[in-house]
Amino acid sequence: MKQPDSEPMKVVSQDIVEAMRAGLAGQTTAALMPCYGISYNTWRKVQSGSAIRRSVAERLEQRLLGANAPSRERPTHF
């Protein structure tokens, strides 16, 4: 049986999706790519609750959690 962390796909939690929505200037690839490093197609999957690649989901979670961390712990670039 596979371990949960070895699954190739993951659903982004709705808390993260809501935080992402709040930080967006628009819902186009031009707005999404510099902010979150994802395309419009990936954004549509995230919003609908569909699974995306685990590595992308974890990167989004790290970015959002990093943005809520104290400034000395916040990443300086993505």
Side-chain angles (χ1 to χ4, degrees), residues 28-29 32-33 37-44:
T28 63
T29 295
L32 291 158
M33 191 59 69
I38 60 172
S39 69
Y40 176 76
N41 289 337
T42 300
W43 174 238
R44 297 292 298 168

mmCIF file of all heavy atoms in Angstrom, residues 28-29 32-33 37-44:
data_model
loop_
_atom_site.group_PDB
_atom_site.id
_atom_site.type_symbol
_atom_site.label_atom_id
_atom_site.label_comp_id
_atom_site.label_asym_id
_atom_site.label_seq_id
_atom_site.Cartn_x
_atom_site.Cartn_y
_atom_site.Cartn_z
ATOM 1 N N THR A 28 -5.870 35.749 -14.524
ATOM 2 C CA THR A 28 -5.258 35.416 -15.803
ATOM 3 C C THR A 28 -3.874 34.828 -15.522
ATOM 4 O O THR A 28 -3.324 35.017 -14.426
ATOM 5 C CB THR A 28 -5.079 36.666 -16.683
ATOM 6 O OG1 THR A 28 -4.177 37.563 -16.017
ATOM 7 C CG2 THR A 28 -6.413 37.376 -16.927
ATOM 8 N N THR A 29 -3.326 34.138 -16.507
ATOM 9 C CA THR A 29 -1.974 33.601 -16.326
ATOM 10 C C THR A 29 -0.997 34.737 -16.041
ATOM 11 O O THR A 29 -0.092 34.594 -15.211
ATOM 12 C CB THR A 29 -1.543 32.787 -17.568
ATOM 13 O OG1 THR A 29 -2.401 31.638 -17.662
ATOM 14 C CG2 THR A 29 -0.108 32.318 -17.459
ATOM 15 N N LEU A 32 -1.487 35.392 -12.377
ATOM 16 C CA LEU A 32 -1.220 34.235 -11.520
ATOM 17 C C LEU A 32 0.246 33.826 -11.492
ATOM 18 O O LEU A 32 0.776 33.460 -10.438
ATOM 19 C CB LEU A 32 -2.058 33.040 -11.994
ATOM 20 C CG LEU A 32 -3.556 33.175 -11.759
ATOM 21 C CD1 LEU A 32 -4.326 32.269 -12.696
ATOM 22 C CD2 LEU A 32 -3.868 32.873 -10.313
ATOM 23 N N MET A 33 0.917 33.880 -12.635
ATOM 24 C CA MET A 33 2.288 33.376 -12.725
ATOM 25 C C MET A 33 3.257 34.127 -11.817
ATOM 26 O O MET A 33 3.979 33.498 -11.037
ATOM 27 C CB MET A 33 2.758 33.397 -14.186
ATOM 28 C CG MET A 33 4.048 32.666 -14.418
ATOM 29 S SD MET A 33 4.047 30.908 -13.959
ATOM 30 C CE MET A 33 2.959 30.197 -15.169
ATOM 31 N N GLY A 37 3.115 31.421 -9.388
ATOM 32 C CA GLY A 37 3.867 30.493 -10.224
ATOM 33 C C GLY A 37 3.008 29.413 -10.856
ATOM 34 O O GLY A 37 3.490 28.313 -11.107
ATOM 35 N N ILE A 38 1.725 29.719 -11.090
ATOM 36 C CA ILE A 38 0.822 28.745 -11.708
ATOM 37 C C ILE A 38 0.116 29.376 -12.905
ATOM 38 O O ILE A 38 -0.014 30.596 -12.992
ATOM 39 C CB ILE A 38 -0.236 28.196 -10.723
ATOM 40 C CG1 ILE A 38 -1.114 29.313 -10.158
ATOM 41 C CG2 ILE A 38 0.433 27.394 -9.618
ATOM 42 C CD1 ILE A 38 -2.302 28.837 -9.336
ATOM 43 N N SER A 39 -0.368 28.524 -13.795
ATOM 44 C CA SER A 39 -1.116 28.980 -14.955
ATOM 45 C C SER A 39 -2.597 29.127 -14.610
ATOM 46 O O SER A 39 -3.057 28.668 -13.556
ATOM 47 C CB SER A 39 -0.969 27.971 -16.093
ATOM 48 O OG SER A 39 -1.661 26.778 -15.759
ATOM 49 N N TYR A 40 -3.335 29.712 -15.546
ATOM 50 C CA TYR A 40 -4.780 29.834 -15.384
ATOM 51 C C TYR A 40 -5.419 28.453 -15.285
ATOM 52 O O TYR A 40 -6.322 28.240 -14.483
ATOM 53 C CB TYR A 40 -5.376 30.626 -16.552
ATOM 54 C CG TYR A 40 -6.873 30.713 -16.498
ATOM 55 C CD1 TYR A 40 -7.490 31.586 -15.605
ATOM 56 C CD2 TYR A 40 -7.664 29.923 -17.313
ATOM 57 C CE1 TYR A 40 -8.871 31.660 -15.533
ATOM 58 C CE2 TYR A 40 -9.041 30.001 -17.250
ATOM 59 C CZ TYR A 40 -9.645 30.865 -16.363
ATOM 60 O OH TYR A 40 -11.012 30.927 -16.288
ATOM 61 N N ASN A 41 -4.952 27.493 -16.099
ATOM 62 C CA ASN A 41 -5.522 26.144 -16.059
ATOM 63 C C ASN A 41 -5.337 25.499 -14.682
ATOM 64 O O ASN A 41 -6.262 24.870 -14.154
ATOM 65 C CB ASN A 41 -4.908 25.252 -17.141
ATOM 66 C CG ASN A 41 -5.369 25.643 -18.512
ATOM 67 O OD1 ASN A 41 -6.411 26.256 -18.691
ATOM 68 N ND2 ASN A 41 -4.569 25.310 -19.515
ATOM 69 N N THR A 42 -4.166 25.658 -14.098
ATOM 70 C CA THR A 42 -3.927 25.121 -12.753
ATOM 71 C C THR A 42 -4.815 25.841 -11.745
ATOM 72 O O THR A 42 -5.399 25.208 -10.850
ATOM 73 C CB THR A 42 -2.447 25.238 -12.367
ATOM 74 O OG1 THR A 42 -1.681 24.493 -13.317
ATOM 75 C CG2 THR A 42 -2.180 24.719 -10.968
ATOM 76 N N TRP A 43 -4.959 27.147 -11.879
ATOM 77 C CA TRP A 43 -5.812 27.922 -10.982
ATOM 78 C C TRP A 43 -7.248 27.410 -11.026
ATOM 79 O O TRP A 43 -7.912 27.265 -10.001
ATOM 80 C CB TRP A 43 -5.742 29.401 -11.341
ATOM 81 C CG TRP A 43 -6.678 30.276 -10.585
ATOM 82 C CD1 TRP A 43 -7.631 31.087 -11.103
ATOM 83 C CD2 TRP A 43 -6.756 30.456 -9.162
ATOM 84 N NE1 TRP A 43 -8.299 31.750 -10.108
ATOM 85 C CE2 TRP A 43 -7.781 31.387 -8.901
ATOM 86 C CE3 TRP A 43 -6.065 29.923 -8.092
ATOM 87 C CZ2 TRP A 43 -8.130 31.782 -7.613
ATOM 88 C CZ3 TRP A 43 -6.415 30.323 -6.800
ATOM 89 C CH2 TRP A 43 -7.428 31.247 -6.569
ATOM 90 N N ARG A 44 -7.767 27.111 -12.229
ATOM 91 C CA ARG A 44 -9.122 26.580 -12.359
ATOM 92 C C ARG A 44 -9.254 25.254 -11.617
ATOM 93 O O ARG A 44 -10.264 25.006 -10.951
ATOM 94 C CB ARG A 44 -9.501 26.397 -13.835
ATOM 95 C CG ARG A 44 -9.542 27.692 -14.628
ATOM 96 C CD ARG A 44 -10.650 28.593 -14.232
ATOM 97 N NE ARG A 44 -11.911 27.897 -14.496
ATOM 98 C CZ ARG A 44 -13.087 28.293 -14.067
ATOM 99 N NH1 ARG A 44 -13.187 29.381 -13.356
ATOM 100 N NH2 ARG A 44 -14.170 27.615 -14.334
#
